[in-house]
């Protein structure tokens, strides 16, 4: 088994509230990210996602526990030369886009003229070649996010940490980011992706962790988390006489989830009622359904 | 070293309007003096030099006190610290950046003094502006140290109080006083001398003071959480 690229071991991060009351952002948080995977990191607001990322990058220190990034303890500066980071709210210095990317590349020790070539390549990758000389203060939020991605990639990082990388992007740019992530994985890079866009996470991530109140509550491959066991989704049309209280309706068709053992009996009853079976597919829940289920559980526990 | 220079250049770029304003202010004052009197007397010019030399030290303290806070407030600090930058390199970059900003101002003062007709310019300039440049570096390091854990306003006030401590203990031994706060004696020298060079021990103490406070600021900053979580 290869060593994890990013590892959190029993990390607790405690803040003091204004009145001095301790508030735990992370509570015995443990997680290991393996090389070459795209890892989805999900959780409701205030769950501790950004805190975990900031700890990994050495912006803050853990109250207890420890972690490693690329084999070295969190906070090791030279290690960060092999890491690309895109923050949730991209804040860049007001310069032309190409100068911004070059500046951050130079901070990671990339020498000229390789830096100039790499900067051009990255701006081209994120579709900003034509505005490379324009000051980023005139950029829209989506364009800023793309410059942010370019600066995160300019050092050809082994580990890419992205905090909400597509939140301000249009669908075309989102598809571009997805391609960038898949290409990075194909090149052997590891990607740690924190996002609220669950469809994006579902589409690209190999594994997913869901964190609630500073603890991992679900962890596994995306397919295993979405699997609901031995059931199938059946879409029918007609058979109006059949009472299906749990069916969802869409454009005259009704969708029902039935256990695999009842599949044959159900289809025959649809036919007997004069209806038509449109499709039968193995049942899967979406990441959104899982997320909402966990969020509701959390709400219930809080109450 | 490259990272320090990159951060310093970046700081200078960020402060360009303030630096340009200061660089224009000195010649404007000199032009005003020449406008009032075609040939301003040497006493007035010497006072101008002393005044601007003191201002450089004070501006250095104000600039340095707010440097970290500005980067934190804009969250741009995350984009720097997420790179292969050590905390001590970041502090050193800001320190060099503040010093460069004030060096531009000092150069502008020197040029203005010469153009305004200051006699024996070389001697008087070196007597005032060299200690001013080194004192400014020491005061910037002190303000940076306090700003690692205090709001910029309190950091600047704290740095001012600390550096003015010898004045509070007027009977303090001058050698001990120089060791605690060389900047106080630099200001004393700037405001009282006209052409006598500053004692070299005082300049050395400024450098030592800068190194000590840079190291202390780096250590203190490394213990601090930079970002407050947004979620």
């Amino acid at each position: 088994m290869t060593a994890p690229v990013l590892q959190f071991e029993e990390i607790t991060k405690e803040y003091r509230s204004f009145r001095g009351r301790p508030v735990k952002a992370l509570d015995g948080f443990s997680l290991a990210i393996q090389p070459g995977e795209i890892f989805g990191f999900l959780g409701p607001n205030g769950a501790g996602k950004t805190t975990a990322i900031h700890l990994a990058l050495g912006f803050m220190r853990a109250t207890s526990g420890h972690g490693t990034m690329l084999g070295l303890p969190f906070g090791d500066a030279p290690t960060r030369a092999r890491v690309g980071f895109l923050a949730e709210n991209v804040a860049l210095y007001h310069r032309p886009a190409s100068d911004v990317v070059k500046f951050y590349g130079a901070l990671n020790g990339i020498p000229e003229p390789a830096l100039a070539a790499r900067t051009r390549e990255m701006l081209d990758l994120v579709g900003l070649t034509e505005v490379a000389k324009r000051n980023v203060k005139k950029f829209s939020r989506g364009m800023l996010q793309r410059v942010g991605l370019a600066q995160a990639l300019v050092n050809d990082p082994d580990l890419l940490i992205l905090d909400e990388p597509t939140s301000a992007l249009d669908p075309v740019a989102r598809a571009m980011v997805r391609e960038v992530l898949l290409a990075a994985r194909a090149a052997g890079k590891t990607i740690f992706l924190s996002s609220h866009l669950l469809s994006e996470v579902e589409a690209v991530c190999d594994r997913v962790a869901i964190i609630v109140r500073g603890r991992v509550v679900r962890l596994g491959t995306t397919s295993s988390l979405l699997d609901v066991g031995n059931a199938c989704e059946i879409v029918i049309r007609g058979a109006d006489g059949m009472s299906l209280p749990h069916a969802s309706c869409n454009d005259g068709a009704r969708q029902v989830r039935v256990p695999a053992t009842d599949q044959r009996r159900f289809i025959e009853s649809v036919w007997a009622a004069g209806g038509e079976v449109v499709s039968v597919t193995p049942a899967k829940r979406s990441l959104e359904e899982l997320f909402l289920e966990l969020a509701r559980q959390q709400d219930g526990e809080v109450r | 070293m490259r990272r320090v220079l990159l951060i310093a250049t970046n700081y200078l770029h960020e402060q360009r309007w303030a630096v340009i304003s200061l660089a224009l202010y000195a010649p404007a004052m000199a032009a005003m003096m020449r406008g009032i009197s075609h040939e301003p007397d040497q006493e007035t010019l010497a006072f101008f030099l002393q005044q601007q030399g003191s201002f450089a030290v004070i501006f250095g303290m104000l600039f340095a006190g707010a440097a970290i806070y500005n980067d934190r407030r804009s969250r741009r600090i995350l984009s720097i610290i997420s790179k292969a930058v050590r905390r001590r390199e970041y502090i050193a970059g800001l320190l060099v950046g503040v010093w460069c900003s004030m060096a531009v101002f000092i150069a502008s003062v020197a040029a203005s003094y010469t153009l305004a007709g200051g006699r024996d310019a070389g001697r008087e300039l070196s007597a005032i502006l060299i200690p001013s440049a080194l004192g400014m570096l020491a005061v910037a390091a002190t303000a940076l140290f306090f700003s690692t854990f205090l709001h910029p306003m309190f950091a600047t006030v704290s740095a001012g109080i600390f550096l003015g401590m010898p004045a509070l203990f007027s009977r303090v031994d001058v050698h001990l006083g120089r060791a605690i706060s060389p900047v106080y004696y630099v200001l004393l020298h700037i405001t009282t001398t006209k052409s006598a060079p500053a004692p070299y021990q005082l300049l050395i103490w400024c450098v030592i003071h800068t190194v000590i406070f840079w190291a202390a600021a780096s250590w203190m900053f490394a213990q601090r959480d930079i970002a407050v979580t947004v979620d």
Side-chain angles (χ1 to χ4, degrees):
Chain A
M1 180 121 176
T2 49
V5 172
L6 187 59
Q7 187 161 30
F8 300 85
E9 286 180 272
E10 285 295 319
I11 285 186
T12 296
K13 177 65 187 174
E14 210 169 82
Y15 296 106
R16 292 269 158 194
S17 70
F18 187 68
R19 291 181 178 177
R21 195 172 56 88
V23 179
K24 278 185 182 170
L26 291 176
D27 184 9
F29 175 75
S30 296
L31 191 63
I33 316 302
Q34 299 303 326
E37 69 175 338
I38 303 183
F39 191 92
F41 192 46
L42 308 177
N45 292 333
K49 301 187 297 296
T50 301
T51 301
I53 289 173
H54 286 187
L55 281 166
L57 288 162
F59 298 163
M60 49 178 70
R61 288 162 170 239
T63 310
S64 65
H66 74 282
T68 57
M69 187 166 69
L70 295 166
L72 287 162
F74 289 164
D76 181 65
T79 307
R80 291 198 292 265
R82 295 164 57 204
V83 177
F85 171 59
L86 173 61
E88 184 178 0
N89 299 308
V90 187
L92 305 166
Y93 290 100
H94 290 168
R95 309 279 163 74
S98 56
D99 290 0
V100 168
V101 177
K102 260 190 203 170
F103 171 66
Y104 291 117
L107 283 179
N108 268 332
I110 306 172
E112 290 284 9
L115 179 58
R118 185 78 187 155
T119 299
R120 276 195 300 276
E121 197 184 323
M122 288 304 103
L123 287 172
D124 187 44
L125 183 73
V126 298
L128 292 176
T129 304
E130 286 181 10
V131 290
K133 297 288 169 205
R134 196 190 294 173
N135 195 311
V136 298
K137 75 177 173 192
K138 294 172 184 164
F139 279 12
S140 67
R141 200 167 154 240
M143 288 165 88
L144 275 177
Q145 212 153 22
R146 285 197 268 170
V147 180
L149 188 61
Q151 65 82 29
L153 290 164
V154 72
N155 54 331
D156 192 21
D158 294 328
L159 170 64
L160 196 53
I161 298 177
L162 306 173
D163 197 358
E164 297 288 348
T166 55
S167 58
L169 299 181
D170 61 37
V172 177
R174 259 181 219 168
M176 175 273 293
V177 171
R178 203 180 312 145
E179 280 174 26
V180 168
L181 298 186
L182 293 172
R185 180 178 60 185
K189 315 291 184 191
T190 308
I191 297 146
F192 187 70
L193 172 67
S194 166
S195 178
H196 282 304
L197 291 169
L198 304 177
S199 56
E200 294 289 325
V201 172
E202 201 174 320
V204 298
C205 291
D206 303 303
R207 286 200 305 149
V208 171
I210 300 179
I211 169 177
V212 176
R213 282 190 278 160
R215 279 182 165 275
V216 174
V217 292
R218 286 283 192 286
L219 171 66
T221 60
T222 312
S223 54
S224 70
L225 287 179
L226 302 183
D227 189 21
V228 290
N230 210 2
C232 59
E233 302 275 1
I234 301 178
V235 179
I236 63 166
R237 208 181 284 278
D240 297 334
M242 282 181 77
S243 170
L244 302 169
H246 297 295
S248 55
C249 296
N250 184 16
D251 198 19
R254 289 185 289 173
Q255 183 175 324
V256 195
R257 181 176 291 176
V258 291
T261 47
D262 292 345
Q263 181 182 330
R264 186 186 181 92
R265 188 190 54 76
F266 180 81
I267 291 171
E268 283 174 354
S269 63
V270 171
W271 285 337
E276 172 197 355
V277 176
V278 178
S279 66
V280 180
T281 49
K284 278 199 163 192
R285 62 183 155 186
S286 67
L287 207 45
E288 187 173 334
E289 285 171 317
L290 176 62
F291 188 86
L292 290 174
E293 185 186 310
L294 290 169
R296 281 189 202 111
Q297 276 176 18
Q298 180 201 9
D299 282 351
E301 283 170 27
V302 170
R303 280 184 199 124
Chain B
M1 194 60 192
R2 187 188 180 202
R3 291 186 186 101
V4 172
L5 292 178
L6 279 165
I7 293 166
T9 317
N10 185 56
Y11 178 84
L12 199 54
H13 184 271
E14 286 300 300
Q15 300 299 328
R16 63 193 179 281
W17 296 118
V19 173
I20 289 170
S21 304
L22 285 177
L24 292 176
Y25 152 79
M29 290 294 286
M32 206 163 73
M33 277 192 294
R34 283 210 79 140
I36 293 167
S37 156
H38 185 63
E39 258 190 56
D41 66 81
Q42 293 303 309
E43 283 292 318
T44 310
L45 281 173
F47 174 73
F48 168 76
L49 198 58
Q50 288 172 332
Q51 188 189 44
Q52 304 311 314
S54 313
F55 281 179
V57 175
I58 293 161
F59 288 148
M61 185 164 68
L62 295 174
F63 272 51
I68 295 175
Y69 178 78
N70 289 341
D71 268 355
R72 286 181 76 147
R73 194 181 53 174
S74 66
R75 298 180 63 83
R76 289 171 180 159
I77 195 169
L78 298 186
S79 63
I80 290 195
I81 298 292
S82 65
K83 305 293 178 279
V85 176
R86 292 181 175 89
R87 303 276 178 106
R88 64 171 183 264
E89 290 174 323
Y90 176 71
I91 296 288
L94 291 182
L95 188 57
V96 175
V98 171
W99 189 83
C100 289
S101 306
M102 288 304 109
V104 171
F105 174 60
I106 286 172
S108 165
V109 169
S112 306
Y113 175 78
T114 310
L115 293 173
R119 258 183 244 142
D120 206 2
R123 205 168 148 209
E124 293 193 351
L125 286 175
S126 60
I128 291 181
L129 297 186
I130 289 175
S132 172
L134 287 173
M136 188 273 293
L137 191 61
V139 81
T142 312
L144 270 173
F145 166 72
F146 283 108
S147 74
T148 56
F149 58 93
L150 290 176
H151 184 277
M153 192 174 75
F154 297 118
T156 309
V157 170
S158 303
I161 291 172
F162 179 80
L163 297 170
M165 266 166 51
L168 300 176
F169 309 101
S170 54
R171 289 187 182 178
V172 73
D173 173 62
V174 70
H175 297 292
L176 180 65
R178 276 179 188 166
I180 294 169
S181 172
V183 180
Y184 173 76
Y185 292 94
V186 163
L187 283 171
L188 215 59
H189 171 82
I190 291 172
T191 50
T192 52
T193 194
K194 288 197 176 69
S195 56
Y200 75 94
Q201 298 97 323
L202 181 60
L203 303 183
I204 290 171
W205 271 118
C206 281
V207 175
I208 293 170
H209 185 97
T210 304
V211 173
I212 290 171
F213 272 85
W214 163 73
S218 302
W219 180 83
M220 181 61 85
F221 193 50
Q223 312 307 310
R224 307 277 302 165
D225 286 351
I226 288 180
V228 175
T229 179
V230 291
D231 62 13

